[in-house]
């Protein structure tokens, strides 16, 4: 009998939570690092307790290090990753502002949609799913559109592609365009150098390679971006004059996502805004501590090995990976569902009989590929091996004859090579 059937006591009252021990190998969320779960159950202190404001300051510094930035304005937006996206876009955009969104997957469409709701004049360019943009393509569009803001995703889990960003910041700077990126899916498992790459705003979440639950959105803002959002902001009489001598234009439409107000809450002024989501702040703090304790290069190397091993295993089983492998994120792989195999039946058997979750897909890829993630706590050899072995078995149950043991053997070989090369924690 399945676990879920034991949810009620004999008197009909609900029993305490007792979810099955799933191994989450989809494109996120993933199983949390145990230390992050412990952090979440830590007792609260008051909102303006110096202990709490001390934690807030620590979180700002921790995320500066995670983002590789000196940006003073590095803090948390309370909410899932799209809270960070909305905060950046609704705070930056005044009605009629031009925003350029290069779209290479589902989350690019999300950026465009949010920018549209903020009444931006949105311009999009697209490449087929499974590809990324060249800097030249982006520069050409910038020259044509002359946007105020470029909004782009770094790693789009819908296609597993990682957009190179390194050369785009200089292009934006040359054309006086603000450069915003949603790096939710990629941060912690792939390089992201906010200052070196001249990004003006970056928002992320915890539930991918940072190994936490969803519900907190770390963001970082350059001085240039901060100046822009503060001066576009309408003066709220008497309260915020110091920051807004040059204020003009309509108010930011959202109170909750008003970045100048959130900055004044996180800053020395401590002006009351929302009540900080303390348990999520504890999680975010622990995610960053774990990341920095292991060492950024080591964490990224661990994700690369896990991703390479999963890819090698998939290929050795006779399955075809999706997309341009030169631009694949380390932490997720798309797998073509073989002819004659029922994709959803495979996922359901993996989940219900093996307690392993892998991902489905959206839009043009719906029903065509699975997505298998190796992120955060689950970017581990044993998680890769169990997933490959179980998938092989389930494929056989569904009539696809994956050669026995080949997938696991290929993954073991990748790990053996990584260990021999001295990759930490491989
Ligand atoms: C997973 C993901 C998100 C998630 O947003 P939520 O609001 O936390 O669900 C956002 N952006 C990208 C690129 C993602 O891959």
């Amino acid at each position: 009998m399945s676990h879920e059937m034991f949810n009620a006591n004999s008197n009909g009252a609900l029993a305490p939570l007792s979810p099955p021990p799933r191994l989450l190998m989809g494109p996120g969320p993933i199983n949390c690092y145990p230390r992050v779960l412990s952090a979440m159950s830590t007792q609260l202190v008051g909102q303006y307790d110096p202990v709490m404001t001390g934690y807030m300051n620590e979180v700002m510094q921790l995320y500066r290090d995670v983002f590789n930035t000196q940006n003073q304005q590095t803090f948390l937006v309370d909410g899932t990753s799209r809270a960070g996206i909305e905060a950046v876009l609704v705070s930056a955009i005044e009605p009629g502002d031009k925003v350029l969104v290069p779209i290479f997957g589902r989350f690019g469409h999300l950026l465009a949609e949010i920018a549209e709701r903020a009444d931006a004049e949105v311009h999009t360019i697209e490449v087929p799913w499974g590809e990324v943009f060249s800097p030249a393509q982006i520069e050409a569009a910038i020259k044509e559109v002359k946007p105020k803001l470029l909004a782009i995703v770094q790693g789009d889990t819908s296609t597993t592609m990682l957009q190179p960003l390194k050369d785009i910041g200089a292009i934006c700077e040359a054309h006086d365009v603000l450069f915003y990126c949603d790096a939710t899916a990629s941060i912690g498992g792939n390089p992201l150098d906010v200052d070196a790459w001249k990004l003006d705003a970056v928002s992320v979440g915890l539930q991918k390679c940072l190994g936490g639950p969803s519900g907190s959105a770390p963001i970082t803002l350059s001085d240039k971006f901060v100046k822009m959002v503060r001066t576009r902001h309408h003066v709220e009489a008497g309260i915020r004059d110091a920051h807004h001598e040059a204020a003009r234009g309509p108010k930011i439409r959202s109170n909750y996502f008003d970045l100048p107000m959130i900055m004044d809450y996180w800053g020395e002024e401590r002006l009351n805004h929302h009540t900080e989501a303390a348990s999520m702040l504890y999680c975010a703090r622990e995610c960053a501590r774990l990341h920095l304790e292991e060492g950024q290069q080591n964490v990224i190397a661990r994700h690369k090995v896990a991703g390479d091993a999963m890819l090698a295993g998939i290929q050795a089983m006779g399955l075809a990976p999706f997309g341009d492998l030169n631009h694949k994120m380390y932490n997720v792989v798309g797998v073509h569902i073989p002819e004659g195999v029922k994709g959803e039946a495979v996922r359901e058997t993996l989940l219900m009989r093996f307690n392993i979750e892998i991902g489905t897909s959206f839009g043009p890829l719906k029903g065509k590929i699975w997505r298998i993630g190796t992120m955060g706590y689950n970017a581990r050899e044993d998680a890769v091996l169990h997933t490959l072995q179980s998938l092989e078995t389930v494929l056989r149950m569904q009539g696809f004859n994956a050669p026995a043991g080949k997938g696991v053997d290929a993954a073991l070989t990748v790990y053996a090579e990584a260990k021999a090369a001295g990759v930490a924690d491989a």
Side-chain angles (χ1 to χ4, degrees), residues 147-223:
K148 167 177 171 179
L149 180 81
L150 174 76
I152 192 165
V153 173
Q154 185 188 21
D156 203 311
T157 39
S158 65
T159 69
T160 75
M161 293 297 109
L162 187 80
Q163 169 65 46
L165 300 176
K166 183 164 63 64
D167 300 324
I168 297 175
I171 295 170
C172 287
E173 193 176 58
H175 295 278
D176 201 18
V177 172
L178 290 161
F179 181 17
Y180 161 62
C181 175
D182 169 14
T184 301
S186 42
I187 192 162
N190 308 267
L192 174 67
D193 289 311
V194 169
D195 285 0
W197 298 355
K198 298 174 183 291
L199 283 147
D200 290 300
V202 180
S203 67
V204 301
L206 305 183
Q207 77 266 34
K208 310 275 167 81
C209 303
L210 291 175
S214 87
S216 179
I219 71 170
T220 187
L221 310 172
S222 71
D223 292 347

Side-chain angles (χ1 to χ4, degrees), residues 54-122:
Y55 290 155
M56 291 171 78
N57 291 342
E58 287 172 5
V59 163
M60 294 176 91
Q61 187 51 48
L62 285 165
Y63 277 90
R64 284 183 200 113
D65 293 343
V66 171
F67 280 123
N68 296 305
T69 183
Q70 305 287 326
N71 288 340
Q72 170 63 26
Q73 296 302 345
T74 304
F75 53 94
L76 307 178
V77 175
D78 291 348
T80 69
S81 315
R82 84 180 57 199
I85 302 172
E86 290 227 28
V88 168
L89 293 179
V90 300
S91 295
I93 295 167
E94 291 181 50
D97 280 344
K98 288 184 191 171
V99 174
L100 175 64
V101 187
I103 297 176
F104 60 100
R106 175 189 183 218
F107 286 99
H109 286 287
L110 177 68
L111 300 186
E113 202 267 348
I114 294 174
E116 260 162 36
R117 283 184 192 237
D119 279 342
E121 182 185 313
V122 178

